[in-house]
Short mmCIF file of all heavy atoms in Angstrom, two decimals:
data_model
loop_
_atom_site.label_atom_id
_atom_site.label_comp_id
_atom_site.label_asym_id
_atom_site.label_seq_id
_atom_site.Cartn_x
_atom_site.Cartn_y
_atom_site.Cartn_z
N MET A 765 -67.55 59.42 -208.03
CA MET A 765 -66.47 59.26 -207.06
C MET A 765 -65.17 59.73 -207.70
O MET A 765 -64.84 59.34 -208.81
CB MET A 765 -66.35 57.78 -206.67
CG MET A 765 -65.25 57.55 -205.68
SD MET A 765 -65.23 55.86 -205.05
CE MET A 765 -64.05 55.15 -206.13
N GLU A 766 -64.46 60.53 -206.97
CA GLU A 766 -63.19 61.04 -207.48
C GLU A 766 -62.05 60.41 -206.69
O GLU A 766 -62.10 60.31 -205.46
CB GLU A 766 -63.15 62.56 -207.32
CG GLU A 766 -61.94 63.18 -207.96
CD GLU A 766 -61.99 64.70 -207.93
OE1 GLU A 766 -63.09 65.26 -208.10
OE2 GLU A 766 -60.94 65.30 -207.70
N ILE A 767 -61.02 59.99 -207.40
CA ILE A 767 -59.85 59.37 -206.77
C ILE A 767 -58.70 60.37 -206.84
O ILE A 767 -58.43 60.94 -207.90
CB ILE A 767 -59.46 58.07 -207.48
CG1 ILE A 767 -60.59 57.06 -207.32
CG2 ILE A 767 -58.15 57.53 -206.94
CD1 ILE A 767 -60.38 55.77 -208.04
N THR A 768 -58.06 60.57 -205.70
CA THR A 768 -56.93 61.48 -205.63
C THR A 768 -55.64 60.69 -205.82
O THR A 768 -55.43 59.67 -205.18
CB THR A 768 -56.88 62.18 -204.25
OG1 THR A 768 -58.13 62.84 -204.06
CG2 THR A 768 -55.76 63.17 -204.16
N ILE A 769 -54.78 61.17 -206.70
CA ILE A 769 -53.47 60.54 -206.91
C ILE A 769 -52.46 61.32 -206.09
O ILE A 769 -52.29 62.54 -206.28
CB ILE A 769 -53.09 60.55 -208.40
CG1 ILE A 769 -54.12 59.75 -209.19
CG2 ILE A 769 -51.68 60.03 -208.58
CD1 ILE A 769 -53.93 59.80 -210.68
N ASP A 770 -51.81 60.62 -205.16
CA ASP A 770 -50.81 61.25 -204.31
C ASP A 770 -49.44 61.17 -204.98
O ASP A 770 -49.08 60.16 -205.59
CB ASP A 770 -50.75 60.54 -202.95
CG ASP A 770 -52.07 60.66 -202.21
OD1 ASP A 770 -52.68 61.74 -202.28
OD2 ASP A 770 -52.47 59.68 -201.56
N LYS A 771 -48.69 62.24 -204.83
CA LYS A 771 -47.34 62.30 -205.41
C LYS A 771 -46.34 62.54 -204.29
O LYS A 771 -46.67 63.06 -203.24
CB LYS A 771 -47.25 63.43 -206.43
CG LYS A 771 -48.23 63.27 -207.58
CD LYS A 771 -48.18 64.46 -208.49
CE LYS A 771 -49.26 64.31 -209.56
NZ LYS A 771 -49.38 65.52 -210.35
N LYS A 772 -45.12 62.14 -204.54
CA LYS A 772 -44.00 62.35 -203.62
C LYS A 772 -44.19 61.65 -202.28
O LYS A 772 -43.77 62.14 -201.25
CB LYS A 772 -43.71 63.84 -203.44
CG LYS A 772 -43.31 64.53 -204.73
CD LYS A 772 -42.96 65.97 -204.51
CE LYS A 772 -42.60 66.60 -205.85
NZ LYS A 772 -42.27 67.99 -205.74
N ILE A 773 -44.87 60.52 -202.29
CA ILE A 773 -44.99 59.68 -201.10
C ILE A 773 -43.97 58.56 -201.28
O ILE A 773 -44.08 57.79 -202.23
CB ILE A 773 -46.41 59.07 -200.94
CG1 ILE A 773 -47.48 60.14 -200.97
CG2 ILE A 773 -46.48 58.19 -199.70
CD1 ILE A 773 -47.47 61.07 -199.78
N PRO A 774 -42.93 58.49 -200.44
CA PRO A 774 -41.88 57.50 -200.66
C PRO A 774 -42.38 56.07 -200.49
O PRO A 774 -43.21 55.79 -199.62
CB PRO A 774 -40.82 57.84 -199.61
CG PRO A 774 -41.57 58.59 -198.56
CD PRO A 774 -42.70 59.29 -199.26
N MET A 775 -41.88 55.19 -201.35
CA MET A 775 -42.21 53.77 -201.25
C MET A 775 -41.35 53.15 -200.15
O MET A 775 -40.21 53.56 -199.95
CB MET A 775 -41.92 53.05 -202.57
CG MET A 775 -42.88 53.45 -203.67
SD MET A 775 -42.54 52.70 -205.27
CE MET A 775 -42.17 51.03 -204.89
N PRO A 776 -41.88 52.16 -199.46
CA PRO A 776 -41.06 51.49 -198.44
C PRO A 776 -39.91 50.73 -199.11
O PRO A 776 -40.06 50.20 -200.22
CB PRO A 776 -42.04 50.54 -197.75
CG PRO A 776 -43.19 50.41 -198.68
CD PRO A 776 -43.23 51.63 -199.54
N ASN A 777 -38.76 50.69 -198.44
CA ASN A 777 -37.59 50.03 -198.98
C ASN A 777 -37.70 48.52 -198.94
O ASN A 777 -37.20 47.82 -199.80
CB ASN A 777 -36.33 50.45 -198.22
CG ASN A 777 -36.01 51.90 -198.44
OD1 ASN A 777 -36.58 52.53 -199.30
ND2 ASN A 777 -35.11 52.44 -197.65
N GLU A 778 -38.29 47.99 -197.90
CA GLU A 778 -38.39 46.55 -197.74
C GLU A 778 -39.68 46.23 -197.02
O GLU A 778 -40.34 47.10 -196.48
CB GLU A 778 -37.19 46.00 -196.98
CG GLU A 778 -36.98 46.67 -195.64
CD GLU A 778 -35.68 46.26 -195.00
OE1 GLU A 778 -34.63 46.58 -195.52
OE2 GLU A 778 -35.77 45.63 -193.93
N ARG A 779 -40.00 44.94 -197.00
CA ARG A 779 -41.20 44.52 -196.28
C ARG A 779 -41.06 44.83 -194.80
O ARG A 779 -39.96 45.02 -194.30
CB ARG A 779 -41.42 43.03 -196.47
CG ARG A 779 -41.79 42.70 -197.89
CD ARG A 779 -41.99 41.23 -198.03
NE ARG A 779 -42.37 40.94 -199.40
CZ ARG A 779 -43.45 40.30 -199.73
NH1 ARG A 779 -44.26 39.84 -198.81
NH2 ARG A 779 -43.73 40.08 -200.99
N THR A 780 -42.18 44.85 -194.13
CA THR A 780 -42.13 45.12 -192.70
C THR A 780 -41.26 44.08 -192.00
O THR A 780 -41.21 42.92 -192.40
CB THR A 780 -43.54 45.09 -192.09
OG1 THR A 780 -44.12 43.83 -192.35
CG2 THR A 780 -44.40 46.20 -192.65
N LYS A 781 -40.57 44.50 -191.01
CA LYS A 781 -39.69 43.61 -190.28
C LYS A 781 -40.49 42.86 -189.24
O LYS A 781 -41.28 43.44 -188.53
CB LYS A 781 -38.56 44.40 -189.63
CG LYS A 781 -37.67 45.09 -190.64
CD LYS A 781 -36.56 45.84 -189.97
CE LYS A 781 -35.73 46.53 -191.04
NZ LYS A 781 -34.67 47.30 -190.49
N GLY A 782 -40.27 41.58 -189.17
CA GLY A 782 -40.96 40.76 -188.20
C GLY A 782 -39.95 40.07 -187.31
O GLY A 782 -38.74 40.13 -187.54
N LYS A 783 -40.44 39.39 -186.30
CA LYS A 783 -39.53 38.76 -185.35
C LYS A 783 -38.71 37.67 -186.02
O LYS A 783 -37.54 37.49 -185.72
CB LYS A 783 -40.28 38.22 -184.14
CG LYS A 783 -41.10 36.98 -184.38
CD LYS A 783 -41.68 36.47 -183.08
CE LYS A 783 -42.41 35.16 -183.30
NZ LYS A 783 -42.94 34.62 -182.07
N TRP A 784 -39.31 36.92 -186.99
CA TRP A 784 -38.55 35.84 -187.63
C TRP A 784 -37.47 36.39 -188.54
O TRP A 784 -36.38 35.84 -188.64
CB TRP A 784 -39.48 34.91 -188.39
CG TRP A 784 -40.42 34.19 -187.48
CD1 TRP A 784 -41.78 34.22 -187.53
CD2 TRP A 784 -40.10 33.37 -186.36
NE1 TRP A 784 -42.32 33.47 -186.52
CE2 TRP A 784 -41.31 32.92 -185.78
CE3 TRP A 784 -38.91 32.95 -185.77
CZ2 TRP A 784 -41.36 32.09 -184.67
CZ3 TRP A 784 -38.96 32.12 -184.66
CH2 TRP A 784 -40.16 31.71 -184.13
N ARG A 785 -37.73 37.50 -189.20
CA ARG A 785 -36.71 38.13 -190.04
C ARG A 785 -35.54 38.55 -189.17
O ARG A 785 -34.38 38.32 -189.52
CB ARG A 785 -37.29 39.33 -190.78
CG ARG A 785 -36.29 39.99 -191.70
CD ARG A 785 -36.84 41.31 -192.25
NE ARG A 785 -35.94 41.93 -193.17
CZ ARG A 785 -34.83 42.58 -192.81
NH1 ARG A 785 -34.50 42.68 -191.54
NH2 ARG A 785 -34.05 43.13 -193.71
N ASP A 786 -35.83 39.16 -188.05
CA ASP A 786 -34.77 39.60 -187.13
C ASP A 786 -33.95 38.41 -186.63
O ASP A 786 -32.73 38.49 -186.53
CB ASP A 786 -35.37 40.36 -185.95
CG ASP A 786 -36.01 41.67 -186.36
OD1 ASP A 786 -35.71 42.18 -187.46
OD2 ASP A 786 -36.82 42.20 -185.57
N VAL A 787 -34.62 37.30 -186.32
CA VAL A 787 -33.92 36.10 -185.85
C VAL A 787 -33.01 35.57 -186.94
O VAL A 787 -31.84 35.25 -186.71
CB VAL A 787 -34.93 35.02 -185.40
CG1 VAL A 787 -34.24 33.68 -185.18
CG2 VAL A 787 -35.65 35.46 -184.14
N LEU A 788 -33.53 35.48 -188.17
CA LEU A 788 -32.74 34.93 -189.28
C LEU A 788 -31.51 35.79 -189.59
O LEU A 788 -30.46 35.26 -189.92
CB LEU A 788 -33.61 34.80 -190.53
CG LEU A 788 -34.63 33.68 -190.49
CD1 LEU A 788 -35.63 33.84 -191.62
CD2 LEU A 788 -33.94 32.33 -190.54
N VAL A 789 -31.65 37.09 -189.47
CA VAL A 789 -30.52 37.99 -189.72
C VAL A 789 -29.41 37.76 -188.69
O VAL A 789 -28.22 37.81 -189.02
CB VAL A 789 -30.99 39.47 -189.74
CG1 VAL A 789 -29.83 40.42 -189.70
CG2 VAL A 789 -31.87 39.72 -190.95
N LYS A 790 -29.77 37.46 -187.45
CA LYS A 790 -28.79 37.22 -186.40
C LYS A 790 -28.13 35.84 -186.49
O LYS A 790 -27.02 35.65 -186.02
CB LYS A 790 -29.44 37.36 -185.02
CG LYS A 790 -29.86 38.76 -184.69
CD LYS A 790 -30.58 38.81 -183.36
CE LYS A 790 -31.12 40.20 -183.07
NZ LYS A 790 -31.89 40.23 -181.82
N MET A 791 -28.84 34.87 -187.10
CA MET A 791 -28.32 33.51 -187.17
C MET A 791 -27.22 33.40 -188.23
O MET A 791 -27.27 34.06 -189.26
CB MET A 791 -29.43 32.52 -187.54
CG MET A 791 -30.45 32.32 -186.46
SD MET A 791 -31.85 31.29 -187.01
CE MET A 791 -31.09 29.67 -187.02
N LYS A 792 -26.25 32.55 -187.98
CA LYS A 792 -25.20 32.21 -188.95
C LYS A 792 -25.45 30.78 -189.42
O LYS A 792 -26.21 30.03 -188.80
CB LYS A 792 -23.82 32.30 -188.29
CG LYS A 792 -23.52 33.63 -187.64
CD LYS A 792 -22.84 34.54 -188.62
CE LYS A 792 -22.33 35.78 -187.94
NZ LYS A 792 -23.04 36.97 -188.25
N LYS A 793 -24.80 30.40 -190.49
CA LYS A 793 -24.93 29.04 -191.02
C LYS A 793 -24.59 28.03 -189.93
O LYS A 793 -23.58 28.16 -189.25
CB LYS A 793 -24.01 28.85 -192.21
CG LYS A 793 -24.15 27.51 -192.87
CD LYS A 793 -23.26 27.37 -194.08
CE LYS A 793 -23.43 26.00 -194.70
NZ LYS A 793 -22.58 25.84 -195.89
N GLY A 794 -25.48 27.05 -189.72
CA GLY A 794 -25.28 26.03 -188.71
C GLY A 794 -25.96 26.32 -187.39
O GLY A 794 -26.13 25.42 -186.57
N HIS A 795 -26.38 27.56 -187.16
CA HIS A 795 -27.11 27.90 -185.94
C HIS A 795 -28.52 27.33 -186.05
O HIS A 795 -29.06 27.18 -187.14
CB HIS A 795 -27.21 29.40 -185.74
CG HIS A 795 -25.91 30.04 -185.39
ND1 HIS A 795 -25.79 31.41 -185.24
CD2 HIS A 795 -24.68 29.54 -185.18
CE1 HIS A 795 -24.54 31.70 -184.92
NE2 HIS A 795 -23.84 30.58 -184.90
N SER A 796 -29.14 27.03 -184.91
CA SER A 796 -30.49 26.50 -184.92
C SER A 796 -31.33 27.14 -183.82
O SER A 796 -30.80 27.70 -182.86
CB SER A 796 -30.48 24.99 -184.73
OG SER A 796 -30.08 24.64 -183.43
N ILE A 797 -32.64 27.03 -184.00
CA ILE A 797 -33.59 27.46 -182.99
C ILE A 797 -34.65 26.37 -182.84
O ILE A 797 -34.83 25.55 -183.74
CB ILE A 797 -34.26 28.81 -183.34
CG1 ILE A 797 -35.03 28.70 -184.66
CG2 ILE A 797 -33.26 29.93 -183.38
CD1 ILE A 797 -35.91 29.90 -184.94
N LEU A 798 -35.32 26.37 -181.72
CA LEU A 798 -36.39 25.42 -181.45
C LEU A 798 -37.71 26.18 -181.46
O LEU A 798 -37.88 27.15 -180.70
CB LEU A 798 -36.16 24.76 -180.09
CG LEU A 798 -36.93 23.50 -179.78
CD1 LEU A 798 -36.62 22.41 -180.79
CD2 LEU A 798 -36.59 23.01 -178.38
N VAL A 799 -38.63 25.79 -182.37
CA VAL A 799 -39.94 26.45 -182.44
C VAL A 799 -41.00 25.52 -181.88
O VAL A 799 -40.81 24.30 -181.82
CB VAL A 799 -40.28 26.90 -183.88
CG1 VAL A 799 -39.30 27.96 -184.35
CG2 VAL A 799 -40.32 25.74 -184.84
N ASN A 800 -42.11 26.08 -181.48
CA ASN A 800 -43.15 25.34 -180.77
C ASN A 800 -44.01 24.43 -181.64
O ASN A 800 -44.43 23.37 -181.19
CB ASN A 800 -44.05 26.30 -180.01
CG ASN A 800 -43.31 26.98 -178.89
OD1 ASN A 800 -42.57 26.34 -178.17
ND2 ASN A 800 -43.50 28.28 -178.77
N ASP A 801 -44.30 24.87 -182.87
CA ASP A 801 -45.25 24.10 -183.67
C ASP A 801 -45.06 24.36 -185.15
O ASP A 801 -44.21 25.15 -185.57
CB ASP A 801 -46.69 24.42 -183.25
CG ASP A 801 -47.00 25.90 -183.27
OD1 ASP A 801 -46.40 26.64 -184.08
OD2 ASP A 801 -47.86 26.34 -182.48
N GLU A 802 -45.89 23.69 -185.95
CA GLU A 802 -45.82 23.81 -187.41
C GLU A 802 -46.15 25.22 -187.88
O GLU A 802 -45.60 25.69 -188.88
CB GLU A 802 -46.77 22.80 -188.04
CG GLU A 802 -46.75 22.79 -189.55
CD GLU A 802 -45.39 22.46 -190.15
OE1 GLU A 802 -44.63 21.69 -189.54
OE2 GLU A 802 -45.09 23.00 -191.23
N ARG A 803 -47.01 25.91 -187.18
CA ARG A 803 -47.35 27.29 -187.55
C ARG A 803 -46.13 28.19 -187.47
O ARG A 803 -45.86 28.98 -188.38
CB ARG A 803 -48.47 27.82 -186.64
CG ARG A 803 -48.94 29.23 -187.01
CD ARG A 803 -49.94 29.76 -185.99
NE ARG A 803 -49.42 29.79 -184.64
CZ ARG A 803 -48.58 30.72 -184.16
NH1 ARG A 803 -48.17 31.70 -184.93
NH2 ARG A 803 -48.16 30.67 -182.91
N GLU A 804 -45.36 28.08 -186.40
CA GLU A 804 -44.14 28.88 -186.25
C GLU A 804 -43.09 28.46 -187.28
O GLU A 804 -42.40 29.31 -187.83
CB GLU A 804 -43.57 28.75 -184.84
CG GLU A 804 -44.36 29.51 -183.80
CD GLU A 804 -43.70 29.52 -182.44
OE1 GLU A 804 -42.79 28.70 -182.19
OE2 GLU A 804 -44.11 30.34 -181.62
N ARG A 805 -42.98 27.16 -187.54
CA ARG A 805 -42.02 26.70 -188.54
C ARG A 805 -42.37 27.27 -189.91
O ARG A 805 -41.52 27.75 -190.64
CB ARG A 805 -41.99 25.17 -188.63
CG ARG A 805 -40.82 24.67 -189.50
CD ARG A 805 -41.10 23.33 -190.14
NE ARG A 805 -42.20 23.34 -191.07
CZ ARG A 805 -42.11 23.70 -192.36
NH1 ARG A 805 -40.96 24.11 -192.86
NH2 ARG A 805 -43.16 23.67 -193.13
N SER A 806 -43.64 27.29 -190.22
CA SER A 806 -44.09 27.84 -191.49
C SER A 806 -43.80 29.34 -191.58
O SER A 806 -43.39 29.84 -192.63
CB SER A 806 -45.59 27.58 -191.65
OG SER A 806 -46.04 28.08 -192.87
N SER A 807 -43.98 30.05 -190.50
CA SER A 807 -43.73 31.50 -190.47
C SER A 807 -42.26 31.81 -190.70
O SER A 807 -41.92 32.70 -191.49
CB SER A 807 -44.17 32.10 -189.14
OG SER A 807 -45.55 32.01 -188.99
N ILE A 808 -41.38 31.08 -190.03
CA ILE A 808 -39.95 31.34 -190.21
C ILE A 808 -39.51 30.91 -191.61
O ILE A 808 -38.64 31.52 -192.22
CB ILE A 808 -39.09 30.71 -189.10
CG1 ILE A 808 -37.69 31.30 -189.13
CG2 ILE A 808 -39.05 29.20 -189.21
CD1 ILE A 808 -36.84 30.98 -187.94
N TRP A 809 -40.14 29.86 -192.13
CA TRP A 809 -39.81 29.39 -193.48
C TRP A 809 -40.16 30.47 -194.51
O TRP A 809 -39.40 30.73 -195.44
CB TRP A 809 -40.57 28.10 -193.78
CG TRP A 809 -39.80 27.16 -194.65
CD1 TRP A 809 -39.83 27.11 -196.01
CD2 TRP A 809 -38.88 26.15 -194.23
NE1 TRP A 809 -38.99 26.11 -196.45
CE2 TRP A 809 -38.40 25.52 -195.38
CE3 TRP A 809 -38.43 25.74 -192.99
CZ2 TRP A 809 -37.48 24.48 -195.33
CZ3 TRP A 809 -37.51 24.70 -192.95
CH2 TRP A 809 -37.04 24.09 -194.10
N HIS A 810 -41.29 31.12 -194.32
CA HIS A 810 -41.71 32.19 -195.21
C HIS A 810 -40.74 33.38 -195.13
O HIS A 810 -40.34 33.93 -196.16
CB HIS A 810 -43.13 32.64 -194.89
CG HIS A 810 -43.62 33.73 -195.77
ND1 HIS A 810 -43.92 33.56 -197.10
CD2 HIS A 810 -43.83 35.04 -195.52
CE1 HIS A 810 -44.29 34.71 -197.62
NE2 HIS A 810 -44.25 35.63 -196.69
N ALA A 811 -40.35 33.75 -193.93
CA ALA A 811 -39.40 34.85 -193.76
C ALA A 811 -38.07 34.51 -194.42
O ALA A 811 -37.44 35.36 -195.06
CB ALA A 811 -39.19 35.15 -192.27
N ALA A 812 -37.64 33.26 -194.31
CA ALA A 812 -36.38 32.83 -194.92
C ALA A 812 -36.45 32.92 -196.43
O ALA A 812 -35.48 33.33 -197.09
CB ALA A 812 -36.06 31.40 -194.48
N LYS A 813 -37.58 32.56 -197.00
CA LYS A 813 -37.74 32.63 -198.45
C LYS A 813 -37.60 34.07 -198.93
O LYS A 813 -36.97 34.33 -199.96
CB LYS A 813 -39.09 32.05 -198.86
CG LYS A 813 -39.28 31.95 -200.34
CD LYS A 813 -40.55 31.23 -200.69
CE LYS A 813 -40.66 31.14 -202.21
NZ LYS A 813 -41.79 30.34 -202.63
N LEU A 814 -38.17 35.02 -198.21
CA LEU A 814 -38.07 36.43 -198.59
C LEU A 814 -36.63 36.92 -198.53
O LEU A 814 -36.24 37.83 -199.27
CB LEU A 814 -38.96 37.28 -197.68
CG LEU A 814 -40.46 37.07 -197.83
CD1 LEU A 814 -41.21 37.88 -196.78
CD2 LEU A 814 -40.93 37.45 -199.23
N LEU A 815 -35.82 36.34 -197.63
CA LEU A 815 -34.41 36.72 -197.48
C LEU A 815 -33.49 35.85 -198.32
O LEU A 815 -32.27 36.03 -198.28
CB LEU A 815 -34.00 36.62 -196.01
CG LEU A 815 -34.65 37.59 -195.05
CD1 LEU A 815 -34.30 37.23 -193.61
CD2 LEU A 815 -34.21 39.01 -195.36
N ASP A 816 -34.02 34.88 -199.06
CA ASP A 816 -33.25 33.92 -199.84
C ASP A 816 -32.29 33.13 -198.95
O ASP A 816 -31.12 32.94 -199.26
CB ASP A 816 -32.48 34.63 -200.97
CG ASP A 816 -32.05 33.65 -202.05
OD1 ASP A 816 -32.73 32.62 -202.22
OD2 ASP A 816 -31.03 33.92 -202.71
N VAL A 817 -32.80 32.68 -197.81
CA VAL A 817 -32.05 31.88 -196.84
C VAL A 817 -32.59 30.46 -196.88
O VAL A 817 -33.81 30.26 -196.89
CB VAL A 817 -32.19 32.47 -195.42
CG1 VAL A 817 -31.64 31.55 -194.36
CG2 VAL A 817 -31.54 33.84 -195.35
N LYS A 818 -31.70 29.48 -196.89
CA LYS A 818 -32.11 28.08 -196.89
C LYS A 818 -32.17 27.57 -195.45
O LYS A 818 -31.30 27.87 -194.64
CB LYS A 818 -31.12 27.22 -197.68
CG LYS A 818 -30.89 27.69 -199.09
CD LYS A 818 -32.13 27.54 -199.93
CE LYS A 818 -31.83 27.93 -201.36
NZ LYS A 818 -32.89 28.57 -202.04
N LEU A 819 -33.20 26.78 -195.15
CA LEU A 819 -33.39 26.22 -193.82
C LEU A 819 -33.56 24.70 -193.90
O LEU A 819 -33.97 24.18 -194.93
CB LEU A 819 -34.63 26.81 -193.15
CG LEU A 819 -34.69 28.31 -192.92
CD1 LEU A 819 -36.03 28.70 -192.32
CD2 LEU A 819 -33.55 28.77 -192.03
N ILE A 820 -33.27 24.04 -192.80
CA ILE A 820 -33.54 22.62 -192.62
C ILE A 820 -34.28 22.49 -191.30
O ILE A 820 -33.90 23.14 -190.32
CB ILE A 820 -32.24 21.80 -192.58
CG1 ILE A 820 -31.49 21.91 -193.91
CG2 ILE A 820 -32.53 20.34 -192.25
CD1 ILE A 820 -30.11 21.29 -193.88
N SER A 821 -35.31 21.66 -191.26
CA SER A 821 -36.05 21.48 -190.00
C SER A 821 -36.29 20.00 -189.74
O SER A 821 -36.44 19.21 -190.68
CB SER A 821 -37.37 22.25 -190.02
OG SER A 821 -38.23 21.75 -191.01
N ARG A 822 -36.30 19.65 -188.46
CA ARG A 822 -36.57 18.29 -188.02
C ARG A 822 -37.37 18.33 -186.73
O ARG A 822 -37.17 19.22 -185.89
CB ARG A 822 -35.28 17.51 -187.76
CG ARG A 822 -34.36 17.32 -188.96
CD ARG A 822 -34.96 16.34 -189.96
NE ARG A 822 -34.06 16.09 -191.07
CZ ARG A 822 -34.02 16.76 -192.20
NH1 ARG A 822 -34.83 17.77 -192.38
NH2 ARG A 822 -33.17 16.44 -193.15
N ALA A 823 -38.26 17.36 -186.59
CA ALA A 823 -39.03 17.24 -185.35
C ALA A 823 -38.08 16.88 -184.22
O ALA A 823 -37.14 16.11 -184.39
CB ALA A 823 -40.10 16.18 -185.49
N GLU A 824 -38.33 17.46 -183.06
CA GLU A 824 -37.53 17.19 -181.86
C GLU A 824 -38.53 17.09 -180.70
O GLU A 824 -38.86 18.09 -180.08
CB GLU A 824 -36.51 18.30 -181.65
CG GLU A 824 -35.48 17.98 -180.60
CD GLU A 824 -34.35 19.00 -180.56
OE1 GLU A 824 -33.64 19.15 -181.57
OE2 GLU A 824 -34.21 19.65 -179.51
N GLY A 825 -38.99 15.87 -180.47
CA GLY A 825 -40.05 15.69 -179.47
C GLY A 825 -41.33 16.31 -180.00
O GLY A 825 -41.71 16.08 -181.15
N ASP A 826 -41.96 17.16 -179.20
CA ASP A 826 -43.19 17.81 -179.66
C ASP A 826 -42.92 19.20 -180.26
O ASP A 826 -43.84 19.94 -180.54
CB ASP A 826 -44.20 17.91 -178.52
CG ASP A 826 -43.69 18.75 -177.35
OD1 ASP A 826 -42.47 18.95 -177.26
OD2 ASP A 826 -44.52 19.18 -176.53
N LYS A 827 -41.65 19.54 -180.44
CA LYS A 827 -41.25 20.83 -181.02
C LYS A 827 -40.53 20.57 -182.34
O LYS A 827 -40.34 19.43 -182.75
CB LYS A 827 -40.39 21.60 -180.05
CG LYS A 827 -41.15 21.91 -178.76
CD LYS A 827 -40.43 22.90 -177.91
CE LYS A 827 -41.23 23.09 -176.64
NZ LYS A 827 -41.61 24.44 -176.44
N ILE A 828 -40.07 21.63 -182.98
CA ILE A 828 -39.38 21.51 -184.27
C ILE A 828 -38.09 22.34 -184.20
O ILE A 828 -38.12 23.52 -183.85
CB ILE A 828 -40.28 22.02 -185.42
CG1 ILE A 828 -41.57 21.25 -185.45
CG2 ILE A 828 -39.53 21.92 -186.75
CD1 ILE A 828 -42.62 21.84 -186.38
N ARG A 829 -36.96 21.70 -184.55
CA ARG A 829 -35.68 22.40 -184.61
C ARG A 829 -35.47 22.87 -186.03
O ARG A 829 -35.67 22.14 -186.98
CB ARG A 829 -34.54 21.51 -184.16
CG ARG A 829 -33.23 22.29 -184.24
CD ARG A 829 -32.17 21.88 -183.25
NE ARG A 829 -32.57 21.74 -181.88
CZ ARG A 829 -32.49 22.71 -180.96
NH1 ARG A 829 -32.06 23.91 -181.28
NH2 ARG A 829 -32.83 22.45 -179.71
N VAL A 830 -35.05 24.14 -186.18
CA VAL A 830 -34.82 24.74 -187.49
C VAL A 830 -33.38 25.25 -187.53
O VAL A 830 -32.96 26.02 -186.67
CB VAL A 830 -35.80 25.91 -187.75
CG1 VAL A 830 -35.54 26.54 -189.11
CG2 VAL A 830 -37.25 25.45 -187.64
N TRP A 831 -32.63 24.81 -188.55
CA TRP A 831 -31.24 25.22 -188.75
C TRP A 831 -31.16 26.15 -189.95
O TRP A 831 -31.85 25.96 -190.93
CB TRP A 831 -30.34 24.03 -189.06
CG TRP A 831 -30.07 23.11 -187.94
CD1 TRP A 831 -29.01 23.17 -187.08
CD2 TRP A 831 -30.81 21.95 -187.56
NE1 TRP A 831 -29.08 22.13 -186.19
CE2 TRP A 831 -30.18 21.37 -186.46
CE3 TRP A 831 -31.99 21.37 -188.06
CZ2 TRP A 831 -30.67 20.22 -185.86
CZ3 TRP A 831 -32.46 20.23 -187.46
CH2 TRP A 831 -31.81 19.68 -186.36
N ARG A 832 -30.25 27.09 -189.86
CA ARG A 832 -29.93 27.92 -191.03
C ARG A 832 -28.89 27.14 -191.82
O ARG A 832 -27.82 26.81 -191.30
CB ARG A 832 -29.40 29.29 -190.61
CG ARG A 832 -29.12 30.16 -191.82
CD ARG A 832 -28.76 31.56 -191.45
NE ARG A 832 -28.37 32.28 -192.65
CZ ARG A 832 -28.59 33.55 -192.87
NH1 ARG A 832 -29.21 34.26 -191.95
NH2 ARG A 832 -28.20 34.11 -193.99
N ALA A 833 -29.18 26.86 -193.09
CA ALA A 833 -28.30 26.03 -193.91
C ALA A 833 -27.50 26.83 -194.93
O ALA A 833 -26.65 26.26 -195.60
CB ALA A 833 -29.13 24.97 -194.63
N SER A 834 -27.75 28.12 -195.05
CA SER A 834 -26.97 28.93 -195.98
C SER A 834 -26.45 30.17 -195.28
O SER A 834 -26.97 30.59 -194.26
CB SER A 834 -27.83 29.34 -197.18
OG SER A 834 -28.88 30.19 -196.78
N ALA A 835 -25.39 30.71 -195.86
CA ALA A 835 -24.74 31.88 -195.25
C ALA A 835 -25.52 33.15 -195.47
O ALA A 835 -26.48 33.23 -196.12
CB ALA A 835 -23.34 32.07 -195.83
#
């Protein structure tokens, strides 16, 4: 088996953009959103970590409110 080494293929500048990354970029410190479940909270938390953004979350009925805590 022969492996071909490709040259001059540009590396991506950043990770793929997702909906949570886009939301976090638009949010300012103190803004909040309401997510449906723990899966969504976990997804936005992961996106925030990649952007070095701090979040705070609290249960609000059967949903979860997430605040941006850093600028």
Side-chain angles (χ1 to χ4, degrees):
M765 180 173 96
E766 187 173 322
I767 297 176
T768 304
I769 298 174
D770 297 321
K771 300 175 185 172
K772 298 184 181 179
I773 306 293
M775 290 177 43
N777 293 348
E778 55 188 66
R779 292 180 179 235
T780 58
K781 297 181 181 178
K783 73 175 185 178
W784 295 122
R785 182 189 183 284
D786 294 341
V787 169
L788 288 167
V789 168
K790 292 176 185 176
M791 291 173 74
K792 305 269 189 251
K793 183 178 180 180
H795 290 177
S796 69
I797 60 170
L798 196 59
V799 296
N800 293 317
D801 54 29
E802 182 60 31
R803 183 186 57 78
E804 286 187 344
R805 190 207 64 85
S806 181
S807 294
I808 195 168
W809 214 269
H810 180 70
K813 186 173 181 174
L814 293 174
L815 293 172
D816 199 27
V817 170
K818 305 294 184 215
L819 300 177
I820 297 172
S821 64
R822 298 289 184 270
E824 191 171 299
D826 62 341
K827 299 192 182 238
I828 302 169
R829 180 150 312 267
V830 179
W831 289 267
R832 182 173 174 146
S834 66

